Amino acid sequence: MSEKTPLREASGDVEAGATEVARTKLRMANMCCESEATLARKTLDGLAGVVDVKVNVVGRVAYVKHRTSTISSAALCDALNGVKLGASVQAAAEKHDAAGDPPDLVEIGFVAFLVALFSAGLAVGGRPALLVVVALGALPLARDAARAASAGRLDVNVLMLVAVAGALQLGDAAEAATVCVVACLAKVAEAECLRRVRNALQDATAGDGADAATRPDGSTVDAAALKKGDVVVVRAGERVPVDGVVLFGKAAVDESALTGESEPVEKLKGSSVSRGTVATQGFVKVEATAARSEDGASELARLVDEAQATSTKTQDLIGRFAEIFTPFVLLCAIAVGCAVSVRVALVMLVLACPCALVLAAPIVVVASLGGAAKRGVLVKSAIALEQLAAVDLLCADKTGTITQGRCRVVAVASPPGVDDKTAARALQLAGSLEAVTAHPLAAAIVNEAVGCVGEADASALSDDVSSVVVTSGAGVAGVVDGVAVKAGTAAHCGLDLGTGGWAPGERGATTIFVAVAGQIQLALAIVDPVRDEAPRALFALQRLGLGLAILTGDRPEVVDGVLKDLERRGVGDVASVDVRATCKPADKLDYVRHAQRAGRVVLFVGDGINDAPALAASDVGAAMGAGGTAMAVDAADVAIMTDDLERLPDAVALGRNATRLIKQNVFLAVAIKLAVVVAAFYGEVPLYVAVLADLLSLLLVVGNGARPLFCAP
């Protein structure tokens, strides 16, 4: 079961005097593969006051939680720089990330000069020119080898230098020069490839907000400088610069970047707006509810960054194997050099670098998590991504997950003898009574009486409401405009002999009766409608081979109505769905644990406080993040931030795709090198071919692993 990662934490980016445990983001310029990441973890884990360390090798960053009273950010940097990792504390994270990493023009220029000199040396056939190429090309290899050696590590640069020395010993200056040139080219190609992946990840997770904001007086201000309570104006065609609430005006806002909803959403006074959305029509004044660095987009970007710094069990296993891989190949190379051929031994030395192998999993993980965020799914850890590939049972809450979580009236009827005017008056009285209560069906009755609650005309409801009594499980009673009014079950309203068939009989609906002055005058059928996308999402999960179970606290007949609706709208095998009604939170938790004991890998999806225990206990917990409670989202491993249930099968497919890509990468990393070694035993293989094979395997691993950023699974 994966560790549950809270959606929000109290700690800041760097330590503050008032914060005991701080979170610091460190950049490491000299980290290029998993061996440096392992070194960083070991270095930081051994320091007093360090609580937790996460390292993202692709992003070249570490996230460290530490007790500020024991160790400072500067001390963390000093420890990493003691092992030559080039660490620095990242400040102004958003601006730094938005710019992206620039190409290393110095390294690129040096390699271009080296290639030109090498080409000239080959053209004139001069050994001195080739030796100059060897001397120059060996400089960056020696620099990086010395850095690794000072930290007590044996890395690929040492192996390359040994191969160059061996070629010179064999009297082949051209071979030695070729190895140096190709090795330097490989380093630049690797760095450039990873740089492009890092920048693509930043593009996928960066909050998309405006750089400038306009105040009501017409002046402009840097959007990054906005604070909570500041007021800005947004006109048609402009991007919302900050999370906030509408104070004045009306606008249609395109939220497709956040929710995937293609139709613009109308925003009125009191509506919330999010940074990065675009006003397509209208004009609004918006009050900022959070500073730019503390808004939802920044929080999600931070969580994705930290998730990318976690590792899967497969990744940890590959890392442990890589630790013994290079020493093992070195021993084999020595044995081959003594028994078979020095040249074959040199080929094996060149191919002993495990960089492609150790990047096989991390590149897939960071790309998959970034791709998920790009599609509105927050996967909080690499372990959760790995577990998504293994799930075989979906347990879903009904209300707010399969259904919309917003009840509405679908049918209204009156008993014989009650005219339309009397029925309309009864509805108004019931709406006035329900407007001062808080039970789940109240909003539906108020909506029916006056329209949307958020836009209700206060004059349509009576303020003269008194003696309100709510009876749990039955209904509400009170006095409205001096008249006794009841709304609730038939028994609560005094209807003991049945309805005579006049009340609406919608399948799965809850029927609410309204009695005025002791006389039944109205009946309303209320349902919580199934989400439009729910049938498609559940059918997609069935096609992925998942079993389905619905766990709800609602009545069996209500759940039966939902199932009938799902069946009518295209869910394949409704009969196989395991339905458990009238479930309490403990019942949902027991169901999940019983399924796990039976060998099932459980994905639980919910949105309410009562779902939190089951979310926390499941192998993978998914919360409907946009509409779910904070407790549910915090307890989950996956948050569907677009509130679109169809993202759930996408997440499962993403997890399975990630597992498949990791296996492909391991095969590519091993097979190409193995093929060259086998060829070396049966014929003469130049050393530069071995270097190219090492580079090819690395580039294929990075390219294949980065696919989730650009392609849907």
Side-chain angles (χ1 to χ4, degrees):
M1 185 170 62
S2 59
E3 178 186 357
K4 310 296 178 181
T5 307
L7 185 63
R8 289 181 168 79
E9 296 178 358
S11 56
D13 281 339
V14 293
E15 70 263 27
T19 305
E20 176 61 23
V21 177
R23 170 188 165 276
T24 298
K25 182 177 181 179
L26 303 170
R27 286 194 173 270
M28 289 173 282
N30 298 333
M31 182 169 66
C32 64
C33 70
E34 188 66 25
S35 60
E36 283 92 355
T38 300
L39 176 64
R41 290 189 196 96
K42 290 181 178 179
T43 301
L44 294 172
D45 280 335
L47 300 176
V50 172
V51 177
D52 182 57
V53 177
K54 294 184 177 73
V55 180
N56 179 356
V57 62
V58 178
R60 297 195 297 190
V61 294
Y63 300 90
V64 187
K65 291 181 182 177
H66 56 105
R67 295 185 176 88
T68 56
S69 58
T70 305
I71 188 167
S72 65
S73 296
L76 296 174
C77 277
D78 290 342
L80 292 174
N81 289 329
V83 292
K84 313 299 182 183
L85 287 176
S88 60
V89 177
Q90 180 175 350
E94 186 175 10
K95 288 187 177 181
H96 186 287
D97 286 346
D101 287 341
D104 191 336
L105 297 180
V106 174
E107 287 286 341
I108 293 173
F110 172 77
V111 172
F113 170 73
L114 198 64
V115 170
L117 186 60
F118 174 65
S119 300
L122 288 179
V124 300
R127 179 179 171 86
L130 293 175
L131 290 177
V132 171
V133 172
V134 171
L136 291 175
L139 287 177
L141 299 177
R143 176 199 64 200
D144 294 343
R147 182 187 297 142
S150 67
R153 294 183 294 113
L154 178 68
D155 71 355
V156 64
N157 298 288
V158 176
L159 303 179
M160 292 295 177
L161 288 173
V162 171
V164 170
L168 291 175
Q169 182 65 31
L170 293 173
D172 195 340
E175 183 86 293
T178 303
V179 170
C180 285
V181 171
V182 174
C184 291
L185 273 172
K187 292 173 79 69
V188 169
E190 175 189 355
E192 179 64 13
C193 190
L194 289 175
R195 182 189 72 83
R196 289 176 181 269
V197 172
R198 279 194 297 273
N199 290 346
L201 285 168
Q202 289 170 8
D203 290 342
T205 58
D208 189 11
D211 292 326
T214 305
R215 295 190 184 277
D217 61 5
S219 62
T220 59
V221 62
D222 184 355
L226 292 173
K227 303 184 296 296
K228 182 178 180 179
D230 286 350
V231 177
V232 297
V233 296
V234 181
R235 298 178 177 85
E238 294 181 346
R239 197 175 294 277
V240 178
V242 67
D243 285 1
V245 62
V246 175
L247 295 179
F248 172 81
K250 178 179 179 180
V253 176
D254 179 2
E255 298 183 333
S256 58
L258 299 180
T259 67
E261 174 59 50
S262 58
E263 293 295 325
V265 179
E266 189 176 62
K267 299 293 183 179
L268 306 168
K269 180 179 179 181
S271 300
S272 61
V273 292
S274 299
R275 170 160 70 100
T277 56
V278 179
T280 59
Q281 293 179 359
F283 167 91
V284 287
K285 286 185 180 179
V286 176
E287 180 182 5
T289 54
R292 184 77 169 258
S293 61
E294 299 171 352
D295 66 11
S298 297
E299 180 68 15
L300 289 177
R302 179 186 73 78
L303 287 167
V304 174
D305 283 347
E306 288 204 5
Q308 289 170 344
T310 60
S311 60
T312 65
K313 294 177 182 178
T314 302
Q315 184 175 336
D316 293 339
L317 179 63
I318 292 173
R320 290 193 295 270
F321 173 75
E323 289 179 359
I324 64 172
F325 176 78
T326 300
F328 174 74
V329 175
L330 280 175
L331 291 176
C332 291
I334 293 172
V336 169
C338 295
V340 182
S341 163
V342 173
R343 181 170 290 278
V344 175
L346 292 176
V347 169
M348 293 183 66
L349 281 176
V350 172
L351 295 173
C353 170
C355 285
L357 182 62
V358 296
L359 276 176
I363 192 72
V364 174
V365 168
V366 297
S368 296
L369 295 176
K374 195 174 181 179
R375 299 174 181 93
V377 179
L378 172 63
V379 183
K380 296 185 187 178
S381 71
I383 292 178
L385 181 70
E386 189 174 48
Q387 287 285 71
L388 277 170
V391 295
D392 58 12
L393 175 64
L394 170 71
C395 296
D397 173 50
K398 179 187 73 67
T399 305
T401 303
I402 294 176
T403 63
Q404 297 176 10
R406 295 182 294 274
C407 295
R408 62 185 177 89
V409 175
V410 294
V412 180
S414 301
V418 176
D419 58 28
D420 291 345
K421 183 177 180 180
T422 302
R425 173 61 175 164
L427 179 60
Q428 182 192 34
L429 293 173
S432 301
L433 179 62
E434 296 288 7
V436 298
T437 65
H439 71 81
L441 302 181
I445 298 173
V446 175
N447 286 351
E448 186 68 15
V450 299
C452 176
V453 170
E455 303 173 16
D457 179 3
S459 63
L461 297 176
S462 173
D463 293 328
D464 185 10
V465 181
S466 60
S467 304
V468 178
V469 177
V470 177
T471 305
S472 180
V476 60
V479 177
V480 182
D481 291 340
V483 180
V485 180
K486 288 185 177 182
T489 64
H492 178 71
C493 295
L495 187 63
D496 298 325
L497 301 177
T499 65
W502 61 267
E506 301 291 323
R507 178 186 288 123
T510 298
T511 302
I512 296 295
F513 294 90
V514 177
V516 178
Q519 181 184 12
I520 299 292
Q521 295 186 351
L522 198 64
L524 305 97
I526 300 175
V527 299
D528 181 6
V530 171
R531 289 174 177 266
D532 291 338
E533 77 278 8
R536 297 189 298 271
L538 296 179
F539 182 61
L541 288 165
Q542 284 183 331
R543 292 185 63 184
L544 289 170
L546 273 68
L548 301 180
I550 296 178
L551 314 179
T552 178
D554 225 328
R555 307 187 317 276
E557 56 269 26
V558 173
V559 186
D560 181 63
V562 170
L563 287 177
K564 295 295 184 184
D565 194 8
L566 290 173
E567 184 176 31
R568 179 179 58 82
R569 293 166 60 183
V571 174
D573 187 11
V574 172
S576 67
V577 178
D578 187 6
V579 177
R580 303 296 174 96
T582 64
C583 285
K584 296 181 173 60
D587 298 325
K588 296 182 181 181
L589 178 61
D590 288 343
Y591 186 95
V592 168
R593 287 178 172 168
H594 182 269
Q596 289 171 327
R597 287 193 294 269
R600 307 299 295 269
V601 181
V602 179
L603 167 62
F604 187 96
V605 57
D607 75 328
I609 292 175
N610 63 340
D611 297 322
L615 283 166
S618 59
D619 296 283
V620 181
M624 304 304 291
T629 65
M631 184 180 294
V633 174
D634 284 351
D637 302 289
V638 177
I640 311 298
M641 302 313 297
T642 62
D643 209 28
D644 180 359
L645 199 60
E646 284 190 279
R647 299 283 78 82
L648 195 60
D650 289 349
V652 174
L654 188 78
R656 294 184 179 181
N657 185 56
T659 298
R660 182 166 55 252
L661 290 177
I662 289 173
K663 292 177 181 178
Q664 291 174 1
N665 276 357
V666 170
F667 174 79
L668 290 171
V670 174
I672 293 174
K673 294 187 177 185
L674 185 60
V676 175
V677 171
V678 171
F681 275 98
Y682 288 95
E684 187 170 312
V685 174
L687 289 181
Y688 73 85
V689 172
V691 179
L692 286 174
D694 182 67
L695 171 62
L696 177 63
S697 65
L698 179 63
L699 295 183
L700 285 175
V701 161
V702 173
N704 188 53
R707 282 195 294 157
L709 265 179
F710 312 105
C711 308

